[in-house]
Amino acid sequence: ASKAASPGAGNAVDGRGMVLALGAAMLRAAAQVLLKIGFVFWASPYAAILAGYTVSAAVILIASRLLAGRAPIVRTRGGIPWFILAGVCNGSAMLLMYAALVDGEVSLVAPIVAGYPLFTLLLSALFLGNERLAGRHLLGVAITVAGVALLASR
């Protein structure tokens, strides 16, 4: 079975995965700063989401063309309903975050949104019974939550 077939298998992030995750974090940070600049000119979270997701779709389509043949093709459609639900969650989260960024400071909104590991931990424990939750996971979430609380209390 592939890694994709067993969610929550407890695999550690390898070096390549860590580089990709850090790259994603840097790009998300840049996106939030760029959004805040854009909101100075047009304070519409709806416009920001429409523009952002349109461009995101184009980036994904171009990347899929460039990487054609390199990624394994899965011949099942069982994941589609889950991907749709994840899209609903992601789109809703982005709308809430962008609305918060219209009036809030990036330096406050971003860390609060980044507190999502607490919810991820709880939801993965509920829905992905085979997730391994070690002490370091709990400590990492506790530190994240404490950091969010510290920033929110100013």
Side-chain angles (χ1 to χ4, degrees), residues 77-102:
R77 297 178 194 264
I80 291 175
W82 298 104
F83 299 153
I84 291 170
L85 288 172
V88 169
C89 290
N90 192 43
S92 300
M94 297 309 286
L95 179 60
L96 293 173
M97 181 177 70
Y98 289 7
L101 283 170
V102 168

Side-chain angles (χ1 to χ4, degrees), residues 56-81:
S56 293
V59 168
I60 298 301
L61 289 172
I62 291 167
S64 69
R65 296 286 185 223
L66 293 175
L67 299 174
R70 295 184 194 173
I73 297 174
V74 179
R75 304 272 186 220
T76 179
R77 297 178 194 264
I80 291 175

Side-chain angles (χ1 to χ4, degrees), residues 10-88:
N11 297 324
V13 177
D14 62 7
R16 179 177 182 271
M18 187 63 73
V19 169
L20 293 173
L22 289 172
M26 286 189 287
L27 290 171
R28 287 294 301 140
Q32 290 182 9
V33 171
L34 294 170
L35 281 165
K36 189 62 179 176
I37 294 168
F39 287 144
V40 169
F41 300 100
W42 189 7
S44 172
Y46 304 104
I49 287 175
L50 181 60
Y53 275 100
T54 300
V55 172
S56 293
V59 168
I60 298 301
L61 289 172
I62 291 167
S64 69
R65 296 286 185 223
L66 293 175
L67 299 174
R70 295 184 194 173
I73 297 174
V74 179
R75 304 272 186 220
T76 179
R77 297 178 194 264
I80 291 175
W82 298 104
F83 299 153
I84 291 170
L85 288 172
V88 169

Side-chain angles (χ1 to χ4, degrees), residues 25 52 65 116 140 147 153:
R65 296 286 185 223
Y116 75 87
S153 68

